[in-house]
Amino acid sequence: MDRREFIKKTAAAAATAAITTPAMAMLTNAGQTGLAGGEAEQAEGAARADGQAPKVLLVNGSPRRDGNTFCCLQEIETQLQKHGLRTEIVQIGTKPVRMCVNCGGCRRNNGAGCVFTDDLCAALTEKMKECDALVVGTPVYYGQPNGGILSLMQRLFFSAGHLVQNKPAAAVAVCRRGGATATLQTMNMMFEMMNMPVVTSQYWNIAYGAGKGEVKLDTEGMQTMRTLATNMAWLLEKIHAGGKTAPERDEQHVFMNFIR
């Protein structure tokens, strides 16, 4: 073996060790803490006070009805149903979605929602009245969520925030190559302002794919979706196990502007 061949083989072996060693350490630690697949207990099935199983609303923020974002939501839905939960997937579709125009109408209608009722926002507002958790999926556009889904969520949360308060939520980002973490963070910012427990998974709620259905080839991404669903089912079971479904807060929200 000449020197050049020896260097190539040594470098390849070092690279393999550098990649596999941390990964194996993560898997070992996950197994020890019960986070690895197969270690977690299956949810026995949650029930609301009215006796019905909790319902999860999943919103497809992609204009493609059966694209990669939908594939991720479908994977989540199937797993949620295995845990006995009710589900519904809503498509944002290709019709225009209004942005918030700061008209103030929603402040004068006693929490009935956005005063513009000619797009999906009105329908989502009604659906959130009977849903106990929310999953929002979006494709990545220039490192950001789809503009339509952003406008939709902003209007829903601002005009009818009492309908989403304290309900578990999760965002899912689907991209070809990059920008998914920034997209995920943008979506989670809204949940965190509404006292919504953010449901996580074994990894960030991200999956990769460009062509239609390609995301199904992302085996870790699909597993991440199923783990997300299992975690949400577990959380809903605990929330609806009896007693109060939200913490009692003894302080009112205090608003403080930096410039007075």
Side-chain angles (χ1 to χ4, degrees):
M1 180 186 300
D2 61 19
R3 180 173 178 274
R4 180 173 296 179
E5 187 67 20
F6 173 77
I7 292 174
K8 286 171 63 178
K9 288 192 174 183
T10 303
T16 301
I19 294 171
T20 58
T21 302
M24 288 305 296
M26 289 173 65
L27 288 172
T28 301
N29 184 59
Q32 292 171 347
T33 56
L35 296 176
E39 296 290 337
E41 294 181 3
Q42 292 294 309
E44 294 180 359
R48 304 191 308 195
D50 60 5
Q52 293 192 80
K55 184 174 182 179
V56 180
L57 182 66
L58 302 96
V59 183
N60 180 13
S62 170
R64 297 180 179 178
R65 294 184 61 86
D66 56 354
N68 287 320
T69 304
F70 176 74
C71 290
C72 289
L73 295 180
Q74 201 171 40
E75 194 77 11
I76 295 170
E77 180 183 49
T78 300
Q79 190 73 4
L80 288 171
Q81 290 175 350
K82 288 181 180 178
H83 288 280
L85 299 177
R86 297 179 296 145
T87 62
E88 181 180 357
I89 296 181
V90 174
Q91 304 278 357
I92 190 174
T94 56
K95 293 182 179 180
V97 175
R98 289 176 178 267
M99 68 176 186
C100 177
V101 297
N102 196 26
C103 67
C106 60
R107 295 181 179 178
R108 299 188 293 270
N109 64 5
N110 298 317
C114 184
V115 295
F116 295 107
T117 58
D118 55 353
D119 63 10
L120 189 59
C121 189
L124 281 185
T125 301
E126 287 300 311
K127 291 180 184 298
M128 281 309 303
K129 292 179 180 179
E130 64 173 33
C131 288
D132 306 283
L134 178 66
V135 179
V136 183
T138 178
V140 174
Y141 290 175
Y142 294 95
Q144 303 166 79
N146 176 352
I149 197 65
L150 266 182
S151 293
L152 198 58
M153 291 297 106
Q154 288 169 355
R155 285 169 56 210
L156 171 66
F157 283 25
F158 189 73
S159 66
H162 62 286
L163 297 178
V164 300
Q165 285 275 346
N166 304 306
K167 295 180 179 180
V172 171
V174 182
C175 70
R176 179 191 69 85
R177 184 169 177 84
T181 52
T183 297
L184 203 62
Q185 290 163 356
T186 300
M187 297 299 296
N188 284 341
M189 294 283 275
M190 292 183 282
F191 303 149
E192 292 170 358
M193 287 185 66
M194 306 304 291
N195 291 308
M196 303 177 79
V198 178
V199 182
T200 59
S201 186
Q202 64 191 28
Y203 195 75
W204 297 305
N205 304 335
I206 293 168
Y208 293 86
K212 182 178 177 180
E214 252 183 22
V215 75
K216 293 181 180 179
L217 301 176
D218 181 2
T219 54
E220 185 177 358
M222 291 295 97
Q223 186 183 58
T224 298
M225 300 302 126
R226 294 191 297 273
T227 302
L228 163 62
T230 296
N231 291 347
M232 178 167 278
W234 179 86
L235 182 58
L236 284 169
E237 182 187 14
K238 301 305 178 184
I239 290 174
H240 295 279
K244 299 183 183 301
T245 58
E248 291 184 359
R249 302 182 180 95
D250 56 4
E251 290 188 72
Q252 292 290 325
H253 190 160
V254 176
F255 293 90
M256 187 272 179
N257 298 331
F258 286 105
I259 299 176
R260 294 183 179 272

